[in-house]
Amino acid sequence: MHPRLTAVFEEVLRRNPGETEFHQAVREVVDSLGPVIDAHPEYADAAVLERLCEPERQIIFRVPWMDDHGQIQVNRGFRVEYSSVLGPYKGGLRFHPSVYLGIVKFLGFEQVFKNALTGMPLGGGKGGSDFDPRGRSDAEVMRFCQSFMTELARHIGEYTDVPAGDIGVGGREIGYLFGQYKRITNRYESGALTGKGVEWGGSLVRTEATGYGTVLFAQEMLRTQGRSMEGMRVVVSGAGNVALHAVEKAQQLGAHVVACSDSRGAVVDEDGLDLDLLKQVRLAERLPVSAYAERRPNARYSADARVWDVPAEVALPCATQNELTIADAKTLIAGGVLAVAEGANMPTTPDAVELFQAERVLFAPGKAANAGGVATSALEMQQNASRDAWTFEYTEQRLADIMRGIHDRCAATAEEYGSAGDYVVGANIAGFTRVADAMLALGVI
């Protein structure tokens, strides 16, 4: 680590004890910034990184609600409004038992750089709750979302903070959240949340965007080596929204996707995943991937199996943080992996990233590869602001152009700073310098 940055990171550790995911996210960025500080000492002189490591605002609140049995439940809600130097805070809400302040801060920190890479006027933030929507009725989810938004509403708005979905927060949850926001504010402020239903202010392609964008980024990386997704053998972790649409776009580009997973295990289908069946099982019936194997004659399911044990040329981690370990990386490399693109936020452990890079495996960090979701959220905000609605084809083309621009920006920045081909360095520096320049311009705020 650069000597001028060591003290910064040590202060992050001191001020944020126990928040290991946040420490990891900061360390990954700080490790890339030595050449930037040498070239631009004004960033260090103005304490840009010190300010960036401290969120502008951290909100924690109680969320009481009543379940279907008349029992009162209490969860904890969070919103970390991390940086607004480029625009209103923008980032998803995650409903999952693992959510605590350190997770939300790590996600918000990543979001700042991800949003900067899109080139759109977006700040960064993140939020969520330790509420688990799995196994809850629609009525319970509605009551929770209404209670959650009753507090959150005072902190958000189209010019202030624009939440979206994440793990555990899909179209159903966004609908309940937006309905309560509208009720509280007495305004049909479409731009206050994104990920809305197309019929009431949402954007076509928003549902598909994160998964599509991850695959499009992988395609751009492969092109630098004269390859493409066509004919590639692909494995995807996860079976939620991001993973399903990564499978869809990979198949559209001619790839052979053979495996996916959930928290219980992995399913392998050497004939290629039947996407319609997978969507029926996961989206319509909300069942585990084991149900797919039960209905697909040649598919096999293994409880607690690792999807990374399946040989593949392209690996797309689309589930959760730190899911792909160094042991998994060794297995993938032995199986002939050529490219890894992160569809989730920080799903690859640092030592696994180092190994992929040492073995010259193309590696795309989440802040670049999964930026398609927030980019399309920005397109949704544009449509809301202009009271317009775009076609699927036009919006998808905008997404493709944005992902190509992010890839090229990362590649060019890495080369400029002496790390050609290192997308981690390129993404970190490109995102950081855009935010840092704006911070210098706006003064000490």
Side-chain angles (χ1 to χ4, degrees):
M1 187 180 294
H2 191 283
R4 296 194 69 174
L5 300 175
T6 301
V8 176
F9 184 67
E10 288 176 349
E11 184 67 2
V12 168
L13 297 179
R14 186 190 70 80
R15 299 183 73 174
N16 305 276
E19 298 176 356
T20 55
E21 298 87 358
F22 180 56
H23 301 163
Q24 181 181 337
V26 173
R27 178 65 188 260
E28 185 217 310
V29 172
V30 169
D31 279 345
S32 300
L33 296 182
V36 181
I37 297 303
D38 287 337
H40 299 280
E42 64 271 19
Y43 294 152
D45 295 340
V48 165
L49 191 58
E50 288 92 332
R51 286 187 277 157
L52 257 181
C53 289
E54 188 66 28
E56 293 176 9
R57 192 171 293 111
Q58 302 177 58
I59 303 155
I60 305 176
F61 51 97
R62 181 179 65 197
V63 189
W65 58 283
M66 187 175 291
D67 67 21
D68 287 343
H69 304 290
Q71 298 297 310
I72 295 172
Q73 306 290 333
V74 180
N75 288 99
R76 184 173 289 175
F78 304 90
R79 189 67 180 173
V80 173
E81 295 176 332
Y82 213 105
S83 171
S84 59
V85 72
L86 294 177
Y89 307 106
K90 185 80 188 80
L93 298 170
R94 175 176 293 190
F95 293 169
H96 191 273
S98 66
V99 171
Y100 78 107
L101 185 59
I103 289 277
V104 180
K105 284 166 66 176
F106 127 63
L107 292 168
F109 184 78
E110 288 275 295
Q111 198 77 44
V112 173
F113 302 101
K114 180 189 303 185
N115 294 359
L117 285 171
T118 68
M120 314 289 265
L122 300 172
K126 207 74 177 185
S129 173
D130 56 3
F131 170 73
D132 189 354
R134 290 186 302 177
R136 294 293 182 181
S137 69
D138 288 350
E140 287 177 320
V141 172
M142 180 185 71
R143 288 193 291 271
F144 172 82
C145 288
Q146 289 174 341
S147 181
F148 183 87
M149 182 53 76
T150 298
E151 172 61 30
L152 187 66
R154 72 190 70 193
H155 305 290
I156 68 172
E158 62 183 338
Y159 298 113
T160 305
D161 184 352
V162 184
D166 193 79
I167 293 172
V169 179
R172 174 183 61 172
E173 289 76 16
I174 292 293
Y176 295 146
L177 291 164
F178 182 71
Q180 184 73 351
Y181 181 81
K182 184 175 77 69
R183 183 183 189 186
I184 290 169
T185 62
N186 195 32
R187 295 192 303 271
Y188 205 102
E189 190 181 333
S190 297
L193 285 97
T194 58
K196 302 181 294 297
V198 176
E199 302 82 1
W200 43 278
S203 172
L204 292 167
V205 191
R206 178 60 190 91
T207 303
E208 298 86 352
T210 306
Y212 276 23
T214 300
V215 175
L216 291 170
F217 197 100
Q219 172 91 321
E220 292 302 316
M221 289 197 302
L222 289 166
R223 280 178 175 164
T224 65
Q225 296 186 347
R227 306 174 188 267
S228 75
M229 289 293 294
E230 186 172 1
M232 288 287 172
R233 183 178 166 91
V234 178
V235 294
V236 180
S237 69
N241 179 63
V242 177
L244 291 174
H245 291 103
V247 171
E248 183 169 277
K249 178 52 68 175
Q251 290 180 342
Q252 288 176 5
L253 295 177
H256 187 59
V257 188
V258 296
C260 67
S261 63
D262 62 16
S263 59
R264 299 174 177 88
V267 64
V268 181
D269 189 341
E270 291 293 347
D271 295 333
L273 292 177
D274 182 332
L275 185 60
D276 290 338
L277 176 58
L278 192 57
K279 285 184 174 182
Q280 173 65 28
V281 167
R282 293 294 296 162
L283 300 181
E285 302 177 33
R286 299 180 184 271
L287 295 174
V289 295
S290 56
Y292 172 93
E294 292 168 2
R295 304 179 196 181
R296 182 81 164 162
N298 294 329
R300 67 182 189 274
Y301 171 79
S302 298
D304 302 317
R306 307 287 290 171
V307 73
W308 315 122
D309 293 338
V310 182
E313 294 161 297
V314 177
L316 304 174
C318 296
T320 191
Q321 64 269 6
N322 291 322
E323 58 167 305
L324 199 166
T325 67
I326 190 166
D328 299 322
K330 290 176 180 177
T331 302
L332 284 168
I333 290 166
V337 72
L338 301 172
V340 178
E342 294 187 327
N345 293 300
M346 206 170 71
T348 312
T349 60
D351 50 2
V353 174
E354 291 177 8
L355 182 61
F356 283 136
Q357 293 178 323
E359 295 295 324
R360 306 188 67 81
V361 174
L362 295 167
F363 180 82
K367 62 172 62 72
N370 71 33
V374 73
T376 307
S377 281
L379 301 182
E380 181 176 331
M381 293 164 68
Q382 288 184 28
Q383 292 171 80
N384 294 157
S386 62
R387 300 292 191 268
D388 201 357
W390 302 341
T391 65
F392 190 98
E393 292 75 18
Y394 176 75
T395 312
E396 186 176 15
Q397 186 56 56
R398 289 287 304 272
L399 170 64
D401 292 342
I402 291 168
M403 295 310 299
R404 189 176 303 111
I406 294 171
H407 171 273
D408 293 349
R409 193 171 299 122
C410 293
T413 303
E415 186 169 357
E416 177 185 351
Y417 283 90
S419 298
D422 189 331
Y423 291 95
V424 174
V425 167
N428 288 337
I429 294 178
F432 172 79
T433 53
R434 183 166 184 240
V435 174
D437 288 342
M439 290 176 70
L440 292 179
L442 270 59
V444 181
I445 57 172

